[in-house]
Amino acid sequence: MQTTTLFNKGHRWLIFGRDPSKPERIIDTNQYMIISQNQSILLDPGGVELFAPMLAAVLKHVPIENITHLFASHQDPDIISSLGLWDQVLPNAKLYCPWLWEGFVRHFGMNNIEFMPIRDTGDVVHIGNIDLHLIPAHYLHSSGNFHVYDPVAKILFSGDVGASLEPAGAPFEVGDFSEHIDKMQLFHQRWMPSNNAKQDWIRRVRKLDIEIMAPQHGRIFTGENVDKFLDWFEALEVGIAVQ
Amino acid sequence: MDTHAQQTVAAAQIASELHQAQQVAKQLAISSKNARAIVLRAGSKAAGLAVIANFYDELANKTIFLAQAINLTALNISNHSVIEWRNSNALENLEKAFLLSEPDSHRDGITHFIDKLELHKRDLDHHFNRLMNELYNKLDEIQQHMRAIDVIAVTSKLEAVQTGDFRGHLVEMAEGIQMMANKIKEHVSHSISLLDQAR
């Protein structure tokens, strides 16, 4: 599992991904960890297949008792099917997840971790000495969906928005935006169901000061590529499976 | 297939086998009531068969009760196997994480959970063996009932000779009862072999 530091000024943002041991036919995912003081949160900790390499990777940075929070942007298996295993080793942790999915994600196994339902309008989570804003992103693509914004690091964890599908070993960061479009166009058109939801999210996100937009698949967007992405996404017709 | 998966599937298959055995046992109970009715109609000539008919009824009811209890035990085993399966999956993943993690990382934190899961595994194994023995004993008890029914069926065919006009009916009924008992024995034997394979 490769690890890259995205931010390290008072608190840290790490991205984990491009796992060489990942079984071939499962989609590659990015997992994130934010560490502040003696607390940390894992954002979309991943599927059950990734649990062992993820645990080994996070323990390079924090002792296990300092993993205090989990966040699941939505209910998909690549996001949170490892929950049953985290539940065995993080008995005192809290899982922040859209309220809509509680009865569903519990199917992954959750006897110890505390479920913290996120209301539809969003919330703020305190980790160490920072506040993380849970931004509504409903229908992008899941019907109960949130992103995470850190106003100090100016990073937006954008879940499936900005995701791209590309071969293993791809770089962590988008270089030339126009060359990157092909890798993400179909994903957004097919997975995202609602143009209204998309415009609502863009309006909300444009008000945020973002230096890094970090999706759950593919590469992260930095600097002017963030605005380029928002412009491109705004003009994109989604929900194409229904003619 | 993984051992836990085999045990989970075997327990579910046993529950299904015993459900079928239970249906046959219900037919057996009805047949024993019919036998009792014929014996009453045959009067004093069939006095010896009256005890036998009651005995059929009693064994059939015991079999129904046992089949229900086995169903519950099989369901418990199935649920238990899933817990064991999950536990061993977690243990496997933690051992893998330990091997993948670097010696200078915080990997000591994992060993505590590995120990805890191993202890839990031992408890689960112990409980699992107890449930399996319980299942074996109950299956064995049903087999004994069926063997008893078999013996009684032979005796009742001999007794039926003295019942004159009712002989044909009673012999036919005894054969029917014997056939049902054999069917139940088949289900139970199959269950035992499933259990043996999964152990």
Side-chain angles (χ1 to χ4, degrees), chain B:
Chain B
M1 211 194 295
D2 169 83
T3 318
H4 294 100
Q6 275 178 359
Q7 286 165 350
T8 309
V9 172
Q13 284 173 325
I14 289 167
S16 150
E17 289 283 338
L18 265 294
H19 175 70
Q20 291 172 54
Q22 200 180 342
Q23 300 310 311
V24 182
K26 279 179 187 165
Q27 288 172 29
L28 195 62
I30 294 167
S31 292
S32 67
K33 283 178 181 65
N34 285 340
R36 210 153 31 164
I38 293 173
V39 165
L40 279 176
R41 272 166 35 213
S44 60
K45 288 182 210 164
L49 281 170
V51 182
I52 291 174
N54 285 341
F55 205 32
Y56 275 144
D57 197 31
E58 196 187 318
L59 282 175
N61 285 326
K62 274 187 184 169
T63 304
I64 294 169
F65 176 77
L66 263 173
Q68 279 168 344
I70 289 174
N71 252 319
L72 269 182
T73 309
L75 188 67
N76 268 343
I77 289 179
S78 214
N79 286 335
H80 196 274
S81 298
V82 172
I83 295 170
E84 270 199 286
W85 197 356
R86 279 194 157 173
N87 190 71
S88 76
N89 182 26
L91 191 57
E92 223 171 85
N93 272 285
L94 287 186
E95 283 166 350
K96 197 168 153 194
F98 187 81
L99 290 174
L100 285 170
S101 57
E102 289 166 11
D104 60 349
S105 70
H106 299 277
R107 71 177 186 179
D108 286 349
I110 302 177
T111 53
H112 161 71
F113 290 102
I114 290 178
D115 293 345
K116 202 171 141 189
L117 287 173
E118 269 171 354
L119 193 68
H120 190 38
K121 186 180 181 303
R122 279 198 289 277
D123 285 348
L124 288 169
D125 282 347
H126 179 70
H127 186 55
F128 181 77
N129 286 334
R130 212 161 49 81
L131 284 173
M132 289 293 255
N133 286 336
E134 192 182 305
L135 188 57
Y136 265 117
N137 291 338
K138 282 177 183 163
L139 286 170
D140 191 50
E141 206 176 326
I142 290 196
Q143 288 292 58
Q144 283 175 29
H145 287 177
M146 292 309 111
R147 279 195 286 271
I149 285 183
D150 216 16
V151 172
I152 299 164
V154 173
T155 315
S156 55
K157 273 193 266 183
L158 292 173
E159 282 282 326
V161 176
Q162 298 168 29
T163 58
D165 295 346
F166 294 95
R167 183 189 164 186
H169 278 307
L170 287 167
V171 169
E172 202 179 314
M173 197 157 287
E175 279 169 356
I177 285 171
Q178 224 170 352
M179 204 174 70
M180 284 184 243
N182 283 335
K183 264 194 203 168
I184 292 176
K185 271 201 279 187
E186 273 172 36
H187 287 301
V188 174
S189 300
H190 192 212
S191 298
I192 291 175
S193 76
L194 284 167
L195 209 53
D196 288 338
Q197 282 165 29
R199 274 205 125 162

Side-chain angles (χ1 to χ4, degrees), chain A residues 180-198:
Chain A
H180 191 62
I181 289 174
D182 274 354
K183 299 180 182 73
M184 55 181 184
Q185 182 156 327
L186 182 65
F187 183 91
H188 288 80
Q189 287 184 312
R190 184 64 181 82
W191 261 267
M192 304 297 163
S194 161
N195 286 301
N196 282 344
K198 181 196 72 169

Side-chain angles (χ1 to χ4, degrees), chain A residues 2 5 77 83 88 95 123 146 150 178 185 238:
Chain A
Q2 289 181 40
T5 302
L83 179 62
Q88 300 275 354
L95 168 68
D123 211 337
F146 288 90
D150 176 349
S178 54
Q185 182 156 327
V238 300

